[in-house]
Amino acid sequence: MARDVYIVRHGNTFDKGDTVTRVGARTDLDLSVSGQQQAEALAHHFKQAGIVFSSATAGPLKRTLQTARTILATQPEPIELTVSEFLREIDYGPDENQPEPVVIDRIGDAALSAWEHYATAPPGWIVDPEALETAWKDFFKQLYQSEDERPALVVTSNGIARFALLAVTREKAPTDLALKLKTGAYGVIHLGEDGPALKDWNFRP
């Protein structure tokens, strides 16, 4: 049995001209105009590609739910959307909802680079990398054992999605791909007899 899991990052929460802040677990924003357009582009892309999901799971924040519901609205059959707390964006601690220049002033460029390249959280950010990688592995195992070979949709945020990539590649095939999943982009994890394997990452329709 084999199955593909499509891991989608929600669309933008800011538009051109807005003050961009670091949006985490405690900042529950709607999709912006461009973010809704990204969600619609994803929906159109999956529909045109003939990708029919049999399950859908999203984080509890509005931006992930709105992205997931937009995608599911174009699927040929209704699909129940399951909300999972482990897919909630990480908590950026004192940097939550702060403008990026303020964040960099506090943590420094080196700390931000360590987060982007190695998922090493800066001081004050509330995230447990080991627990998140374990949660992804358990989630993949659950999907694989469901005896359903049709694609699964997952919609989450940047801080959580990167640990899906690491859960698959850290031990078996280390990758130099950017951990950060772009807004409105997705990656694909293939679940097969040999375990989860990276199939694609950071594709934005």
Side-chain angles (χ1 to χ4, degrees), residues 110 112-121 129 133 162-163 166 170 179:
L112 187 58
S113 178
W115 170 246
E116 297 299 358
H117 291 92
Y118 309 109
T120 302
E133 285 191 41
R162 67 185 57 210
F163 291 103
L166 288 171
R170 188 187 292 279
L179 298 180

PDB file of all heavy atoms in Angstrom, residues 110 112-121 129 133 162-163 166 170 179:
ATOM      1  N   ALA A 110      22.069  35.817  13.384  1.00  0.00           N
ATOM      2  CA  ALA A 110      22.583  34.452  13.522  1.00  0.00           C
ATOM      3  C   ALA A 110      21.506  33.510  14.067  1.00  0.00           C
ATOM      4  O   ALA A 110      21.369  32.370  13.601  1.00  0.00           O
ATOM      5  CB  ALA A 110      23.804  34.434  14.427  1.00  0.00           C
ATOM      6  N   LEU A 112      18.256  33.900  13.816  1.00  0.00           N
ATOM      7  CA  LEU A 112      17.227  33.703  12.799  1.00  0.00           C
ATOM      8  C   LEU A 112      17.711  32.727  11.724  1.00  0.00           C
ATOM      9  O   LEU A 112      16.954  31.872  11.247  1.00  0.00           O
ATOM     10  CB  LEU A 112      16.850  35.042  12.165  1.00  0.00           C
ATOM     11  CG  LEU A 112      15.670  35.005  11.192  1.00  0.00           C
ATOM     12  CD1 LEU A 112      14.421  34.458  11.878  1.00  0.00           C
ATOM     13  CD2 LEU A 112      15.388  36.392  10.616  1.00  0.00           C
ATOM     14  N   SER A 113      18.994  32.837  11.364  1.00  0.00           N
ATOM     15  CA  SER A 113      19.563  31.918  10.379  1.00  0.00           C
ATOM     16  C   SER A 113      19.551  30.476  10.902  1.00  0.00           C
ATOM     17  O   SER A 113      19.275  29.538  10.142  1.00  0.00           O
ATOM     18  CB  SER A 113      20.997  32.333  10.043  1.00  0.00           C
ATOM     19  OG  SER A 113      21.577  31.432   9.129  1.00  0.00           O
ATOM     20  N   ALA A 114      19.843  30.296  12.182  1.00  0.00           N
ATOM     21  CA  ALA A 114      19.831  28.953  12.773  1.00  0.00           C
ATOM     22  C   ALA A 114      18.433  28.354  12.727  1.00  0.00           C
ATOM     23  O   ALA A 114      18.255  27.146  12.522  1.00  0.00           O
ATOM     24  CB  ALA A 114      20.340  29.012  14.210  1.00  0.00           C
ATOM     25  N   TRP A 115      17.425  29.190  12.911  1.00  0.00           N
ATOM     26  CA  TRP A 115      16.044  28.725  12.806  1.00  0.00           C
ATOM     27  C   TRP A 115      15.709  28.328  11.372  1.00  0.00           C
ATOM     28  O   TRP A 115      15.113  27.272  11.123  1.00  0.00           O
ATOM     29  CB  TRP A 115      15.091  29.812  13.298  1.00  0.00           C
ATOM     30  CG  TRP A 115      13.637  29.559  13.021  1.00  0.00           C
ATOM     31  CD1 TRP A 115      12.827  30.267  12.188  1.00  0.00           C
ATOM     32  CD2 TRP A 115      12.813  28.522  13.579  1.00  0.00           C
ATOM     33  NE1 TRP A 115      11.567  29.741  12.182  1.00  0.00           N
ATOM     34  CE2 TRP A 115      11.520  28.673  13.024  1.00  0.00           C
ATOM     35  CE3 TRP A 115      13.046  27.490  14.484  1.00  0.00           C
ATOM     36  CZ2 TRP A 115      10.464  27.829  13.351  1.00  0.00           C
ATOM     37  CZ3 TRP A 115      11.977  26.633  14.796  1.00  0.00           C
ATOM     38  CH2 TRP A 115      10.718  26.810  14.237  1.00  0.00           C
ATOM     39  N   GLU A 116      16.108  29.158  10.427  1.00  0.00           N
ATOM     40  CA  GLU A 116      15.756  28.898   9.034  1.00  0.00           C
ATOM     41  C   GLU A 116      16.487  27.682   8.460  1.00  0.00           C
ATOM     42  O   GLU A 116      15.950  26.951   7.637  1.00  0.00           O
ATOM     43  CB  GLU A 116      16.053  30.133   8.175  1.00  0.00           C
ATOM     44  CG  GLU A 116      15.227  31.363   8.540  1.00  0.00           C
ATOM     45  CD  GLU A 116      13.725  31.153   8.376  1.00  0.00           C
ATOM     46  OE1 GLU A 116      13.284  30.078   7.946  1.00  0.00           O
ATOM     47  OE2 GLU A 116      12.961  32.082   8.695  1.00  0.00           O
ATOM     48  N   HIS A 117      17.725  27.446   8.911  1.00  0.00           N
ATOM     49  CA  HIS A 117      18.524  26.371   8.322  1.00  0.00           C
ATOM     50  C   HIS A 117      18.482  25.070   9.123  1.00  0.00           C
ATOM     51  O   HIS A 117      18.630  23.988   8.558  1.00  0.00           O
ATOM     52  CB  HIS A 117      19.970  26.825   8.159  1.00  0.00           C
ATOM     53  CG  HIS A 117      20.157  27.882   7.116  1.00  0.00           C
ATOM     54  ND1 HIS A 117      20.126  29.233   7.406  1.00  0.00           N
ATOM     55  CD2 HIS A 117      20.332  27.795   5.773  1.00  0.00           C
ATOM     56  CE1 HIS A 117      20.291  29.930   6.293  1.00  0.00           C
ATOM     57  NE2 HIS A 117      20.416  29.091   5.283  1.00  0.00           N
ATOM     58  N   TYR A 118      18.317  25.185  10.447  1.00  0.00           N
ATOM     59  CA  TYR A 118      18.411  23.982  11.285  1.00  0.00           C
ATOM     60  C   TYR A 118      17.213  23.788  12.218  1.00  0.00           C
ATOM     61  O   TYR A 118      17.198  22.847  13.009  1.00  0.00           O
ATOM     62  CB  TYR A 118      19.702  24.036  12.121  1.00  0.00           C
ATOM     63  CG  TYR A 118      20.928  24.327  11.301  1.00  0.00           C
ATOM     64  CD1 TYR A 118      21.580  25.559  11.390  1.00  0.00           C
ATOM     65  CD2 TYR A 118      21.423  23.385  10.399  1.00  0.00           C
ATOM     66  CE1 TYR A 118      22.697  25.845  10.612  1.00  0.00           C
ATOM     67  CE2 TYR A 118      22.546  23.656   9.621  1.00  0.00           C
ATOM     68  CZ  TYR A 118      23.173  24.893   9.733  1.00  0.00           C
ATOM     69  OH  TYR A 118      24.271  25.165   8.962  1.00  0.00           O
ATOM     70  N   ALA A 119      16.237  24.699  12.139  1.00  0.00           N
ATOM     71  CA  ALA A 119      15.067  24.650  13.031  1.00  0.00           C
ATOM     72  C   ALA A 119      15.472  24.749  14.501  1.00  0.00           C
ATOM     73  O   ALA A 119      14.814  24.178  15.376  1.00  0.00           O
ATOM     74  CB  ALA A 119      14.230  23.403  12.775  1.00  0.00           C
ATOM     75  N   THR A 120      16.551  25.446  14.752  1.00  0.00           N
ATOM     76  CA  THR A 120      16.971  25.707  16.128  1.00  0.00           C
ATOM     77  C   THR A 120      16.276  26.985  16.601  1.00  0.00           C
ATOM     78  O   THR A 120      16.515  28.068  16.049  1.00  0.00           O
ATOM     79  CB  THR A 120      18.500  25.893  16.210  1.00  0.00           C
ATOM     80  OG1 THR A 120      19.139  24.722  15.712  1.00  0.00           O
ATOM     81  CG2 THR A 120      18.937  26.160  17.635  1.00  0.00           C
ATOM     82  N   ALA A 121      15.417  26.859  17.587  1.00  0.00           N
ATOM     83  CA  ALA A 121      14.588  27.990  17.994  1.00  0.00           C
ATOM     84  C   ALA A 121      15.390  29.021  18.783  1.00  0.00           C
ATOM     85  O   ALA A 121      16.177  28.656  19.656  1.00  0.00           O
ATOM     86  CB  ALA A 121      13.426  27.499  18.834  1.00  0.00           C
ATOM     87  N   PRO A 129      11.177  20.829  19.206  1.00  0.00           N
ATOM     88  CA  PRO A 129      11.459  20.175  17.914  1.00  0.00           C
ATOM     89  C   PRO A 129      11.315  18.657  17.965  1.00  0.00           C
ATOM     90  O   PRO A 129      10.742  18.054  17.042  1.00  0.00           O
ATOM     91  CB  PRO A 129      12.905  20.579  17.628  1.00  0.00           C
ATOM     92  CG  PRO A 129      13.074  21.886  18.336  1.00  0.00           C
ATOM     93  CD  PRO A 129      12.278  21.733  19.604  1.00  0.00           C
ATOM     94  N   GLU A 133       8.695  16.520  15.621  1.00  0.00           N
ATOM     95  CA  GLU A 133       9.106  15.478  14.670  1.00  0.00           C
ATOM     96  C   GLU A 133       8.426  14.142  15.006  1.00  0.00           C
ATOM     97  O   GLU A 133       7.993  13.406  14.120  1.00  0.00           O
ATOM     98  CB  GLU A 133      10.624  15.312  14.683  1.00  0.00           C
ATOM     99  CG  GLU A 133      11.348  16.442  13.962  1.00  0.00           C
ATOM    100  CD  GLU A 133      12.831  16.152  13.750  1.00  0.00           C
ATOM    101  OE1 GLU A 133      13.148  14.995  13.419  1.00  0.00           O
ATOM    102  OE2 GLU A 133      13.646  17.073  13.912  1.00  0.00           O
ATOM    103  N   ARG A 162       8.004  22.661   8.719  1.00  0.00           N
ATOM    104  CA  ARG A 162       9.426  22.315   8.572  1.00  0.00           C
ATOM    105  C   ARG A 162       9.789  21.032   9.327  1.00  0.00           C
ATOM    106  O   ARG A 162      10.712  20.321   8.938  1.00  0.00           O
ATOM    107  CB  ARG A 162      10.301  23.476   9.047  1.00  0.00           C
ATOM    108  CG  ARG A 162      10.229  23.775  10.545  1.00  0.00           C
ATOM    109  CD  ARG A 162      11.036  25.025  10.889  1.00  0.00           C
ATOM    110  NE  ARG A 162      10.564  26.157  10.119  1.00  0.00           N
ATOM    111  CZ  ARG A 162      11.344  27.172   9.736  1.00  0.00           C
ATOM    112  NH1 ARG A 162      12.599  27.202  10.076  1.00  0.00           N
ATOM    113  NH2 ARG A 162      10.849  28.177   9.022  1.00  0.00           N
ATOM    114  N   PHE A 163       9.064  20.743  10.384  1.00  0.00           N
ATOM    115  CA  PHE A 163       9.376  19.538  11.147  1.00  0.00           C
ATOM    116  C   PHE A 163       8.860  18.276  10.448  1.00  0.00           C
ATOM    117  O   PHE A 163       9.324  17.178  10.741  1.00  0.00           O
ATOM    118  CB  PHE A 163       8.844  19.660  12.573  1.00  0.00           C
ATOM    119  CG  PHE A 163       9.594  20.701  13.367  1.00  0.00           C
ATOM    120  CD1 PHE A 163       9.040  21.948  13.597  1.00  0.00           C
ATOM    121  CD2 PHE A 163      10.872  20.432  13.829  1.00  0.00           C
ATOM    122  CE1 PHE A 163       9.754  22.919  14.289  1.00  0.00           C
ATOM    123  CE2 PHE A 163      11.589  21.400  14.522  1.00  0.00           C
ATOM    124  CZ  PHE A 163      11.032  22.645  14.759  1.00  0.00           C
ATOM    125  N   LEU A 166      11.867  17.557   8.264  1.00  0.00           N
ATOM    126  CA  LEU A 166      12.951  16.993   9.074  1.00  0.00           C
ATOM    127  C   LEU A 166      12.624  15.582   9.555  1.00  0.00           C
ATOM    128  O   LEU A 166      13.515  14.727   9.640  1.00  0.00           O
ATOM    129  CB  LEU A 166      13.223  17.904  10.272  1.00  0.00           C
ATOM    130  CG  LEU A 166      13.901  19.229   9.919  1.00  0.00           C
ATOM    131  CD1 LEU A 166      13.925  20.157  11.131  1.00  0.00           C
ATOM    132  CD2 LEU A 166      15.311  19.008   9.403  1.00  0.00           C
ATOM    133  N   ARG A 170      15.821  13.745   8.179  1.00  0.00           N
ATOM    134  CA  ARG A 170      16.942  13.898   9.110  1.00  0.00           C
ATOM    135  C   ARG A 170      17.791  12.618   9.209  1.00  0.00           C
ATOM    136  O   ARG A 170      19.021  12.677   9.200  1.00  0.00           O
ATOM    137  CB  ARG A 170      16.448  14.270  10.503  1.00  0.00           C
ATOM    138  CG  ARG A 170      17.588  14.627  11.460  1.00  0.00           C
ATOM    139  CD  ARG A 170      17.089  14.822  12.876  1.00  0.00           C
ATOM    140  NE  ARG A 170      16.242  15.986  13.052  1.00  0.00           N
ATOM    141  CZ  ARG A 170      16.706  17.241  13.196  1.00  0.00           C
ATOM    142  NH1 ARG A 170      17.992  17.469  13.153  1.00  0.00           N
ATOM    143  NH2 ARG A 170      15.861  18.232  13.391  1.00  0.00           N
ATOM    144  N   LEU A 179      14.064  24.777   4.690  1.00  0.00           N
ATOM    145  CA  LEU A 179      13.038  24.238   5.583  1.00  0.00           C
ATOM    146  C   LEU A 179      11.737  25.032   5.470  1.00  0.00           C
ATOM    147  O   LEU A 179      10.651  24.468   5.600  1.00  0.00           O
ATOM    148  CB  LEU A 179      13.523  24.281   7.029  1.00  0.00           C
ATOM    149  CG  LEU A 179      14.766  23.457   7.379  1.00  0.00           C
ATOM    150  CD1 LEU A 179      15.093  23.619   8.858  1.00  0.00           C
ATOM    151  CD2 LEU A 179      14.567  21.997   7.035  1.00  0.00           C
TER     152      LEU A 179
END
